[in-house]
Amino acid sequence: MRRRSFLALTGLAGLTLAGCAGAEGNEGTLSFRNPLRIPPVLDPAPGPDGVKRFALRLQEGRSELRPGKHARTWGINGDHLGPTLRARRGDRVAMTVTNTLGEASTLHWHGMRLPAAMDGGPHQMVEPGATWSPEWNVDQPAATTWYHPHPHGRTALHVYRGLAGMFLLDDENDAAGLPHEYGKDDIPLIIQDRKFTEAGELDEDFGGTFGLLGDDVLINGTYDPYFRVTTNQVRFRILNGSNAHVFAVGFADDREFHVVASDAGLLSRPVAVSRLRISPGERFEIVASFEPGEQVLLKGFPGRDEIEDGAYDLLKLKAASRLAPSASLPARLAVLAPPADGERTRSFKLYGSRINGEPMDMARIDEVVPAGAREVWELDNITFSHNFHIHEVVFRILDIDGDRPPEHLRGPKDTVYVPGKTKIRVAVEFGRHTDPKNPYMYHCHILKHEDKGMMGQFVLVPPGTEDTTPRRLDLSRHAGHH
């Protein structure tokens, strides 16, 4: 059955169209007058106890997002967005997250493998005026991860106002042959679509099936941006930090570029593509080549689904007349074992804003998983576009509607786009931090869907204790940090 026929039969066609009203893009409207803002790096030296301590402050601010107009925004250690955090595998990191906002929030370390009590999900709320102090050991390969709020029912608003930042993890394998000088040839790109009022304030109307789909785009909080290229090759760490929009990223001249990493780390080898589809919460690292003196546009091209509507000019790349030479891309990047066979299969039906027909219940444990398990999770989307993020884990895509994924989607991931009427199977590798009383989340990362309840919870427990683990939580234990 064709997808639109299915939507009409289920009465969802009108809802889906409502989700994209006004999302026409910004193509041809920019002059690329503003240098791309590069978020400052927060990479503290370890203290005498060997711990790297990061101080983060959630705060209100005002930002000139549109020229000559100021908007009320939120930021982390500043008026809008947050610093790029940096750590290495083996580091002990300690955060102090102080909330100076007028309402409770959280910070979730998206892509980080860590104990559930440190995860920053909706059970770790930080009340106004309070400080939360999670601490953990970084024990995962180099990756582009990020951090953002996760308050149940309010995530869309908190991220949209500006609470987000990158968290880069390094290890001994990452820098070999890849551009790695931050701000020069290793560039973060946080892509976020927005709508503005006539006065230049953020439009916070999250109506429609998908919530807000905006015609303007900020890159690292910069409107109308350009970047001056000074090296032959540039590595871009692309994060779709939007609430809902899915972008098909590529260059205006259709040049090929190489994907070198996905959410959770390096691919086995560079993969040449000319388009890269990226949904909210996903990250890809790409390496692009430039010639002296040339200018080229990085664009978001219209896609097949309503959530991909609109043509976007994202960033103008202006190459200097002389470019410093870059090392050749390595033929091999990482040794990736084949996806492990699943010890069991769990099925998740995505429908409307429900998973398996259930809305999110903060006290209900939906799945109990033995620590260290290898499982297959089957994601069956029977309605309009969704995506799926699992906290703590790394997974590999096994197949999309029975077909093997394209090569750039065969690497380590934690978030995957699941278009309407699509079934995707992923091989999930769970961690070993057991805690029967603090859950991890899995959810759609289209933030309106997440806020409406398209989320479930799982706990990791010692193997053999799954059947005796309580399926209800005592929420008084999760009353928030005061």
Side-chain angles (χ1 to χ4, degrees):
M1 187 184 298
R2 294 196 54 171
R3 183 171 169 276
R4 290 189 183 274
S5 303
F6 171 82
L7 290 172
L9 284 174
T10 55
L12 293 166
L15 284 175
T16 306
L17 292 174
C20 61
E24 299 171 356
N26 68 352
E27 190 174 49
T29 66
L30 301 181
S31 55
F32 308 104
R33 69 181 73 182
N34 298 314
L36 178 70
R37 176 180 174 269
I38 304 296
V41 174
L42 197 55
D43 186 7
D49 56 0
V51 179
K52 293 183 69 157
R53 301 189 181 278
F54 296 80
L56 301 176
R57 180 184 181 89
L58 312 184
Q59 61 189 70
E60 299 176 6
R62 291 194 68 79
S63 304
E64 187 178 342
L65 300 180
R66 293 293 302 267
K69 299 179 178 181
H70 286 78
R72 289 183 293 273
T73 54
W74 288 359
I76 301 152
N77 294 5
D79 287 339
H80 186 242
L81 298 182
T84 296
L85 311 184
R86 196 136 207 176
R88 289 183 61 84
R89 188 170 198 168
D91 282 347
R92 179 77 177 175
V93 297
M95 306 288 174
T96 55
V97 179
T98 300
N99 181 9
T100 70
L101 305 172
E103 63 179 276
S105 192
T106 75
L107 277 187
H108 162 57
W109 321 104
H110 182 132
M112 197 71 64
R113 311 203 66 182
L114 76 179
M118 312 298 172
D119 187 49
H123 293 285
Q124 285 96 39
M125 297 296 287
V126 188
E127 298 296 327
T131 297
W132 176 51
S133 303
E135 189 170 331
W136 69 92
N137 294 318
V138 176
D139 186 17
Q140 61 194 95
T144 297
T145 73
W146 67 299
Y147 60 101
H148 63 82
H150 212 302
H152 186 39
R154 302 280 287 174
T155 295
L157 184 65
H158 287 207
V159 173
Y160 185 76
R161 287 179 174 174
L163 297 182
M166 281 197 182
F167 197 156
L168 306 185
L169 301 181
D170 302 306
D171 68 13
E172 66 280 0
N173 301 318
D174 179 62
L178 290 179
H180 59 272
E181 191 172 338
Y182 182 86
K184 181 181 179 185
D185 63 3
D186 184 355
I187 308 300
L189 298 180
I190 304 173
I191 303 176
Q192 296 175 305
D193 64 327
R194 294 289 183 263
K195 280 187 177 180
F196 294 98
T197 68
E198 286 295 317
E201 296 281 1
L202 288 169
D203 182 339
E204 296 180 354
D205 179 3
F206 294 160
T209 302
F210 299 114
L212 189 139
L213 295 169
D215 291 327
D216 289 307
V217 173
L218 303 177
I219 310 290
N220 301 344
T222 314
Y223 177 78
D224 200 9
Y226 73 87
F227 178 72
R228 182 171 165 79
V229 174
T230 59
T231 55
N232 174 245
Q233 292 186 339
V234 180
R235 174 190 194 170
F236 296 103
R237 299 175 186 256
I238 304 175
L239 158 65
N240 185 344
S242 301
N243 282 37
H245 205 286
V246 176
F247 292 95
V249 176
F251 291 95
D253 59 2
D254 285 329
R255 70 181 62 192
E256 283 192 334
F257 52 93
H258 287 86
V259 183
V260 296
S262 49
D263 305 326
L266 294 171
L267 304 185
S268 59
R269 68 183 188 95
V271 178
V273 301
S274 60
R275 293 283 189 278
L276 182 66
R277 184 199 243 172
I278 181 166
S279 70
E282 286 188 288
R283 293 88 64 210
F284 287 98
E285 298 179 29
I286 68 170
V287 175
S289 298
F290 299 94
E291 297 294 332
E294 72 172 342
Q295 298 190 11
V296 65
L297 268 182
L298 185 69
K299 295 180 66 71
F301 294 90
R304 294 192 297 270
D305 289 336
E306 291 88 347
I307 201 169
E308 302 175 78
D309 276 355
Y312 291 85
D313 294 339
L314 300 177
L315 176 68
K316 175 162 274 192
L317 287 312
K318 301 179 179 182
S321 57
R322 296 183 64 182
L323 298 179
S326 303
S328 299
L329 276 182
R332 306 297 297 178
L333 295 169
V335 177
L336 300 180
D341 291 334
E343 294 150 14
R344 65 168 290 180
T345 296
R346 299 179 198 253
S347 296
F348 301 87
K349 188 159 289 189
L350 313 182
Y351 181 85
S353 54
R354 300 284 184 267
I355 298 175
N356 289 339
E358 297 281 355
M360 169 67 169
D361 177 350
M362 292 273 288
R364 185 188 67 235
I365 298 301
D366 298 280
E367 307 290 340
V368 177
V369 179
R374 304 290 184 270
E375 298 187 348
V376 173
W377 281 26
E378 185 178 85
L379 314 173
D380 185 6
N381 182 5
I382 64 174
T383 56
F384 42 77
S385 297
H386 293 297
N387 74 356
F388 202 84
H389 168 52
I390 311 175
H391 290 207
E392 198 285 323
V393 310
V394 170
F395 62 69
R396 307 276 288 282
I397 301 173
L398 294 172
D399 49 62
I400 302 172
D401 282 337
D403 296 326
R404 197 171 183 208
E407 190 174 0
H408 74 275
L409 291 180
R410 296 177 197 168
K413 288 185 63 58
D414 55 53
T415 309
V416 62
Y417 182 43
V418 192
K421 293 282 287 177
T422 299
K423 183 183 289 186
I424 294 181
R425 294 190 318 131
V426 296
V428 188
E429 170 195 301
F430 291 89
R432 299 187 179 277
H433 298 288
T434 60
D435 188 341
K437 295 181 179 179
N438 282 289
Y440 299 101
M441 308 294 119
Y442 55 85
H443 57 88
C444 181
H445 218 285
I446 295 169
L447 298 184
K448 180 172 182 177
H449 296 175
E450 173 183 334
D451 282 347
K452 287 181 67 178
M454 197 168 192
M455 181 157 56
Q457 306 187 117
F458 69 97
V459 290
L460 290 182
V461 300
T465 67
E466 299 94 312
D467 292 342
T468 58
T469 298
R471 296 301 185 109
R472 301 292 297 178
L473 294 176
D474 176 4
L475 291 185
S476 65
R477 297 180 62 254
H478 300 281
H481 299 268
H482 297 273

